[in-house]
Amino acid sequence: EVQLVQSGGGVKKPGQSLSVSCETSGYTFSEYFVAWVRQKPGKGLEWMGSVLPRDSYVVYNPSFEGQVVISADRSISTAYLTWSSLKASDNGMYFCVRVERFNWFDSWGQGTPVIVSS
Amino acid sequence: ETVLTQSPGTLSLSPGERATLSCRTSEIVAGTFVSWYQQKPGQAPRLLISAATNRATGIPERFSGSVSGTDFTLSISKLEPEDFVMYYCHLYDASTSPLYTFGQGTNLEIK
């Protein structure tokens, strides 16, 4: 069974750094893109970017490029979403998701809330 | 950039009725690049339909997808109480940036 289990997140102050993890199991991690999706409170879904663990290739949504770093560690089948300096506008729920055939998002993590407040 | 327009924003129906949700692309795209997701409150989205018409594993037969030109449709044949939640369409377009876009969502509510 494909599983994506997220950890990290929580309440942070503006300017702090944060890394959210997505531990995967049940499939060959290297061969599938893992995407990150943001959902701001009461709003829709936004694709942030995707990483292919096989070679750590990353593609970003231009709206998020330079704002976050997406990475993966093949040795522990885990993908990461990292902020070096959080802003209040980063408030939201963040989901990791496996991408099937570069196309549809077939297995989702449970979501990680990020709250940025002074 | 291919624009994705989902409608209606809210759909009010009764259990047992048929729901028709629409997603229109601004230009012709391969049907294989459109998918549909269901999101219940407080939960992660769930894949319902891939490649415009293929039901994902474990999805009830009352959910179906179709395509005609630039119009993609998610139909729910006989609404169950648990179907009254949020739905999103989704497009993968390798020729543009961003690669993936979601529709604005349709909130299916009980009439």
Side-chain angles (χ1 to χ4, degrees), chain A residues 48-64:
Chain A
M48 302 174 70
S50 301
V51 58
L52 181 62
R54 180 176 66 209
D55 55 10
S56 293
Y57 171 74
V58 181
V59 55
Y60 291 97
N61 180 332
S63 296
F64 292 91

Side-chain angles (χ1 to χ4, degrees), chain A residues 27-34 50-58 71-75 77-79 102:
Chain A
Y27 74 99
T28 304
F29 179 64
S30 294
E31 298 305 313
Y32 291 79
F33 275 94
V34 173
S50 301
V51 58
L52 181 62
R54 180 176 66 209
D55 55 10
S56 293
Y57 171 74
V58 181
S71 60
D73 185 338
R74 286 184 299 168
S75 67
S77 299
T78 299
F102 311 108

Side-chain angles (χ1 to χ4, degrees), chain B:
Chain B
E1 176 186 346
T2 304
V3 177
L4 199 60
T5 303
Q6 188 171 352
S7 63
T10 301
L11 182 58
S12 300
L13 294 169
S14 300
E17 290 192 300
R18 180 182 183 85
T20 302
L21 287 65
S22 174
C23 203
R24 176 170 290 174
T25 57
S26 57
E27 52 193 75
I28 295 282
V29 298
T32 52
F33 297 150
V34 172
S35 50
W36 290 90
Y37 302 82
Q38 177 192 66
Q39 187 177 29
K40 297 181 178 180
Q43 294 187 18
R46 174 175 70 149
L47 176 66
L48 292 176
I49 302 288
S50 62
T53 62
N54 298 334
R55 260 192 314 278
T57 302
I59 301 303
E61 289 186 6
R62 63 180 183 276
F63 291 91
S64 63
S66 62
V67 54
S68 176
T70 60
D71 292 325
F72 295 82
T73 301
L74 173 68
S75 298
I76 312 171
S77 58
K78 289 182 184 177
L79 287 165
E80 299 283 343
E82 63 268 26
D83 299 336
F84 291 91
V85 293
M86 201 73 181
Y87 295 85
Y88 295 94
C89 59
H90 173 254
L91 170 67
Y92 165 56
D93 186 348
S95 68
T96 190
S97 180
L99 280 179
Y100 304 97
T101 53
F102 288 93
Q104 302 90 329
T106 293
N107 180 29
L108 182 53
E109 65 174 25
I110 296 180
K111 190 173 183 180

